[in-house]
Amino acid sequence: MELSQERVSTPSAAGAVPGWRAQATPRWRALGARERRALLLAAGGRGLSLLWLVALQPAWRAVSQAPQRLAVLDAQLQAMHALAAEARALRDVAALAEGQAAIYRHRIDKVIGERSSPTIYAVTANDALFRTDDNGRVWQQVRSVTPIDNFLMSSADPNVLYSGQGADCADPMAANQPFYRSQNGGVTWSELLTAINLRPLLIDPTNPNRLFAADCTMLYLSSDGGITWQEQRDNSPAQLWSSYRVVAMSAASRVDAPSPATPHWNQIYAIGVDTQGTGVVAFSGDQGMTWANLTPSADPGACPAEGICAPLIGPSQIVAHPSQAGQIWVVSAQGVWTTTDFGVRWQPLNQGLIDFTDYARGVLHAVTEAPSGQLYLATSRGLYTQSAANPLWTKTGLPSFSSREVVGLLLTDSNPTMLWVNTAQAGTFVHRAK
């Protein structure tokens, strides 16, 4: 049987086109000129619409949204950079020693505060400035990089800070040193041109705009935040500040009976040195107008039986008990001296410090007292402590900083068991005070 095949023919695309044209041509010729123009315009409009929908509109939408998309992409890029920087910082952070104070794994290099305030500032190893208002429970970053890392804080308003290292009194040809003030907690600083070469010493505990500062020749007082200054000459017959330059001050701001509701400046203490390094201890009961000399007498005939008779050499710090009238501690090259009666009797607190006082094998920097009466002493050879029951100074603190040079101490009344210990090279440590 033979199978036959039938070829089925279909119109090709090429053949369809001439057929369409053959049908459309007579119709087109039958149209008038106006109808032809209208039809061409309609076709052109449809073509433009199609061009807009298919090609131009998406491109225009992309162009119009480009700024917003770029902003989003830029923010994402910045976030990625920040995460990368944080990752690098975390990778580069050295292992923290035992007791080391840190913020987000960044070592604290220094803390700054006032005993009567829970606000503390911290400078970290990556030069950032942080602040806490609750003795270190919660920290907030002030600046990622701070231009100033040494200042005094007002306890009346912790947003007000003063900074100035003062002139180099050993070099008359030394360059002038600027003086700065911040009124927003270290976010920004303003240079005060009227305070060149001054070093801030003491801020009024009730008025952040009132402070003492000194240069190489005179003590000054400002009542307007350092804008203007008045020479604070000693108007007593001794005229102490004509012979001594003031190097440190302290205030017994809670002395009264009963204890005052607000601190005051009614009892102020100061130490000064002359050109030979001999020191003076002075007291003012009239907010710095006149000063009484409390320095231990060098005259053996006037020396109390239980006191000290020797010139005061190289005093560097004075600390007044905030609520006990007449009780102060003075740190000097000879050791630690104390009096409880406005200098009528002075007592040495030097047991255990022979290496410092007799052999000059170290330096004493600062002293502070815990509410329990325990004393803590910052030295170039570690942290020492002394109690009323045991007058012998003994080294204390964790092994991680026991051999470090301790240059400063901070203890606050609102958290008196936490002692902040600033070292010269190893950062800040936290020590549990007794």
Side-chain angles (χ1 to χ4, degrees), residues 8-64:
V8 178
S9 62
T10 58
S12 65
V17 173
W20 176 81
R21 287 180 178 175
Q23 295 177 6
T25 299
R27 295 181 181 179
W28 174 259
R29 291 175 178 173
L31 296 175
R34 174 179 289 181
E35 292 172 328
R36 290 181 183 180
R37 285 195 297 271
L39 187 59
L40 288 173
L41 289 175
R46 286 179 178 272
L48 290 175
S49 298
L50 183 61
L51 178 64
W52 168 257
L53 292 173
V54 174
L56 297 180
Q57 187 181 39
W60 177 259
R61 185 182 297 112
V63 171
S64 63

Side-chain angles (χ1 to χ4, degrees), residues 156-195:
D157 182 357
N159 289 313
V160 179
L161 314 173
Y162 296 95
S163 176
Q165 70 179 41
D168 183 357
C169 299
D171 182 6
M173 303 302 293
N176 290 333
Q177 296 299 322
F179 188 99
Y180 298 96
R181 178 185 65 184
S182 175
Q183 295 178 292
N184 52 19
V187 176
T188 59
W189 294 85
S190 301
E191 182 177 359
L192 304 182
L193 298 179
T194 56

Side-chain angles (χ1 to χ4, degrees), residues 46 50 86 90 107 135 158 162 182 198 246 257 265 272 279 282 285-286 300 305-306 355 364:
R46 286 179 178 272
L50 183 61
E86 184 176 355
L90 290 174
R107 188 188 78 184
N135 289 295
Y162 296 95
S182 175
L198 294 184
V246 183
W265 243 9
D286 55 13
E306 300 177 1
D355 280 350
L364 307 179

